[in-house]
Amino acid sequence: MKKLIGLFMIFLSSGLCASAQSAFEKKITAAVTQLTSTEPTNENPVTLNARILLEKDSIAVIVKVRMAPGWHVYQYVPSTMPYIPIEQILKLPEGLQAVGKWEISKPFPFANDPGVLIYEKQAWFVHRVVRSAGARSGGVIQTGLYYQACDLRQCLPPVEKIFDLKVEPGN
């Protein structure tokens, strides 16, 4: 009987964790959708913004990118190509630890170069972070992107944009 109760408790607690996780997932999806940045222009063809979403000891770091019409950034570039793909940046303070890899929006094949994957209009990136047991609250997460923006006539020099995001309850 004790084994049965123990199994039931494990099943119940895993179900509660799954529902809590799915609630956080919904918040992350909504935050990605709602996050905006300034309007990109031909002079500044790529704009981005970042934020964090905090729920207990779980944090989602969100970076969203917008591109002006006709401009794109690279997600994947074969080593034989001269383009520079996006590099996501994540620097964490003591007491925070990254979990897994970056979740990314779906890139598109570049019609002009087979094997190259790009983003046009917008893209988003999410990385999960957890607070270590006993870690103090607060600190600053640095996140952003290193990227090269191109249109059909030109490629701009690579750019690194970093945001300092304070970790506080209610982010």
Side-chain angles (χ1 to χ4, degrees), residues 39-144:
E39 188 72 31
T41 64
N42 278 332
E43 295 77 35
N44 185 24
V46 176
T47 61
L48 51 134
N49 200 356
R51 71 168 289 198
I52 57 175
L53 194 61
L54 181 66
E55 185 167 292
K56 297 180 184 172
D57 288 336
S58 297
I59 301 169
V61 179
I62 303 166
V63 180
K64 193 168 180 182
V65 176
R66 290 176 64 189
M67 282 122 325
W71 288 86
H72 58 271
V73 295
Y74 298 94
Q75 172 56 37
Y76 174 77
V77 178
S79 61
T80 58
M81 301 275 186
Y83 312 119
I84 298 171
I86 284 179
E87 291 179 32
Q88 295 90 3
I89 298 165
L90 182 64
K91 295 177 185 171
L92 301 173
E94 188 175 328
L96 297 182
Q97 181 178 0
V99 177
K101 298 178 180 181
W102 283 94
E103 298 170 39
I104 64 172
S105 55
K106 185 179 177 183
F108 301 96
F110 189 34
N112 294 356
D113 288 311
V116 174
L117 298 176
I118 63 168
Y119 291 113
E120 295 176 308
K121 298 182 184 172
Q122 70 175 2
W124 55 261
F125 308 91
V126 176
H127 207 299
R128 316 267 174 175
V129 174
V130 294
R131 191 184 325 262
S132 304
R136 59 188 184 107
S137 62
V140 175
I141 295 175
Q142 289 188 316
T143 191

Side-chain angles (χ1 to χ4, degrees), residues 17-30:
C17 290
S19 68
Q21 183 181 9
S22 65
F24 191 42
E25 293 293 324
K26 289 178 185 176
K27 289 180 183 179
I28 293 169
T29 301

Side-chain angles (χ1 to χ4, degrees), residues 32-43:
V32 166
T33 302
Q34 295 165 1
L35 186 60
T36 61
S37 61
T38 58
E39 188 72 31
T41 64
N42 278 332
E43 295 77 35

